[in-house]
Amino acid sequence: MSDSARLVVEGLRARVEGKEILNGVDLVVPTGEVHALMGPNGSGKSTLAYTLLGHPNYEVTGGSASFDGTDLLPLAADERARLGMFLCFQYPTSIPGVSVVNFLRAALKAQGKEMPAREFLRTLSAVMGELKIDESFRSRYINDGFSGGEKKRMEILQLALLRPRLAVLDETDSGLDVDALRTVAEGVDRVRGTDMGVLVITHYPRILEYLRPDAVHVLHRGRVVVSGGHDLARRIEADGYDPILGAGAGTAAREGNP
Amino acid sequence: MTMAVTVEAHELTKDYKFGFHDIDVSVFRTEKGLSPEVVAAISAHKNEPEWMLKFRLKALSHFRKRVMPSWGADLSGIDFDNIYYYVKPTEEQSRSWDDVPDSIRQTFDRLGIPEAERKFLAGVSAQYDSEVVYHSIREDLDKLGVLFGDCDTGLRDHPEIFRKYFGTVIPANDNKFAALNSAVWSGGSFVYVPKGVRVDIPLQAYFRINSDNMGQFERTLIIAEEGSYVHYIEGCTAPTYSSDSLHSAVVEIIAHKDAHVRYTTIQNWSNNVYNLVTKRAVAYEGARVEWIDGNLGSKLTMKYPSIYLMGEHAHGEVLSAAFAGEGQHQDAGSKCIHVASNTTSNVVSRSISKGGGRTSYRGHIKVHEKATGVRSSVRCDALLLDEESQSDTYPYMDIDSPDVSIGHEATVSKIGDEQIFYLMSRGLSESDATALIVNGFFEPFVKELPMEYAVELNRLLAVQMEGSVG
Ligand SMILES: Nc1ncnc2c1ncn2[C@@H]1O[C@H](COP(=O)(O)OP(=O)(O)OP(=O)(O)O)[C@@H](O)[C@H]1O
Ligand SMILES: [Mg+2]
């Protein structure tokens, strides 16, 4: 397993706006596996995603993170993207005046994945069809005036076109209708066992029923406090976080802290 | 063989690809500085009628009486005594590029003008210093009675039309720089579109300053008769000299009933040109006038394209984009004067400041007392690329009628971290991400340009953006 592309995070600490949010995250996502990351609101899931992707406002104060053996921490966001990392944003930002089609071409070009114009347009049409995104979205401005679900679809569209090697989906399922959710899940399922790893951040078991994750991790106060199989997610759904994050979780957190 | 020697003024031109200049090939120039003698010499050299000489001399006295405008940008760097007011580059005006002297033709070749003409223009006029050295118009338009030449030719060959309109929209005493232009004007364009004629593809005029310490004072007069349509495009560049040049044009547009005139400017003067231009249109009943005004170059630009909405249902549109880099001040804006009822105007201004550059928006909406059913909307957005840069807005409303609907919105924003991160997370470098956002910001402007100009503008922007990050 050590040779395969994977994300390895050890004791990662990060702060934003002077506030410590990640307090020593340990996490491994091997190639070809689908992992779920759960945890209460504000536990640091999105912060972990941003930190892994290199958001400049998230300052790493300790630990390490590598992808495919490459130390991520010295790299800027664009360099990480070019290594094959991708984030489906929880709240995608809009960029008025920049059309979806121009943006997608620029992104493909930046990643050395340019296609001839005709092939690009064909691929784009196919993926948009699958995601039930209207053709008119090509010339719309990135996320400008998009509905919540449309934004999420646009993230998946980029995922499908850019074909990263590690995809972090930050609550991509919230806001998607049932059909779109199934399409996304099927898409993710298709890459299972290939050279792509997936980390799915979610609050809902529905997407996990589709995805049957290889592992489920629970983040609490900036640390992964429990890991388990798919049944861990089902337990959380049934009983909430309290039984899991009780005294045991607190101890685990302290134990990991030298 | 060509004798042209091209000199690159390296340290100033690093970002400006039009900074080269040719050796001086001028055949006549007035002495430096401004006097009644200089004005008379220009007029005599052009064999003008008596009325024009009088007009010029009167304008000169207006110019001398008027104080320098102090309400706006810093004009203290202009030395009126150190300027050549008239520099004639060639003996003859040519209708074929083959007849234009090699060195001058080469300049326009480098600027891509003859190529553009072949591909997508209905007519071209090329002014070099004080005179138009080349002009052409598509034969079919010529046959329909469309006139397109320089203003001197308009005065000489079409005196009835010319005299009827010249100086009526912008009188010589309108402001100090209009007075200056009126005293020493030369070249520019004279466009006349007869009733019902639609000029389907654009006419372009290109303005090039070549000489050091040169003042360019072109004069443009566009008359669109009832129901006609014309799109006129002007582009401008200059070499980068160590001393400043002055460009002070006057543009008058008359749009008769139901006429439609679009005037597009891509101003890309080098960063040592004072660009002080008066542009004004009158729109009669049902007419539509659009100023599409892009300002990227110059040291200082002061320009507020105006529209007087004189007849019912006339519509005015001012869409502008300005970019101010280090050492630049773009002081631009618009004026819409609603004289008649049921007139509408729409103003959209976008500006970007970078590296300590400054953009200002000055807008004036006036509604006359008896004008009812007037609608006007003004929107200006400024984008600052760094902490040193500056932008300010001076909106001015002067509404004497109760029955109006006026909207005004202004925003100033910094380039967004989240937008940059979003694009970088897709693999774009920081500079490519910034450039994409900047292009997007100018999109409402760029999408109004003919495709070739849109491409060129985005390319010019990319040049301006280089080195802005990292
Ligand atoms: N830019 C920021 N400035 C200040 N606080 C921040 C910032 N970003 C995150 N935080 C704080 O860090 C904590 C973790 O936030 P994060 O968005 O990572 O949570 P999350 O686990 O993704 O929650 P949710 O399930 O609600 O999406 C929260 O308390 C949040 O307020
Ligand atoms: Mg979150």
Side-chain angles (χ1 to χ4, degrees), chain A residues 14 56 71 84 108 160-161 181 200 203 211 243:
Chain A
D71 182 5
L108 284 165
L161 283 175
L181 184 63
V200 180
H203 290 294
L211 291 178

Side-chain angles (χ1 to χ4, degrees), chain A residues 40-47 49-50 90-91 170-171 201 203:
Chain A
N41 292 134
S43 56
K45 304 181 294 298
S46 295
T47 301
Y50 281 145
Q90 184 175 5
Y91 304 111
D170 191 356
E171 296 198 28
I201 299 174
H203 290 294

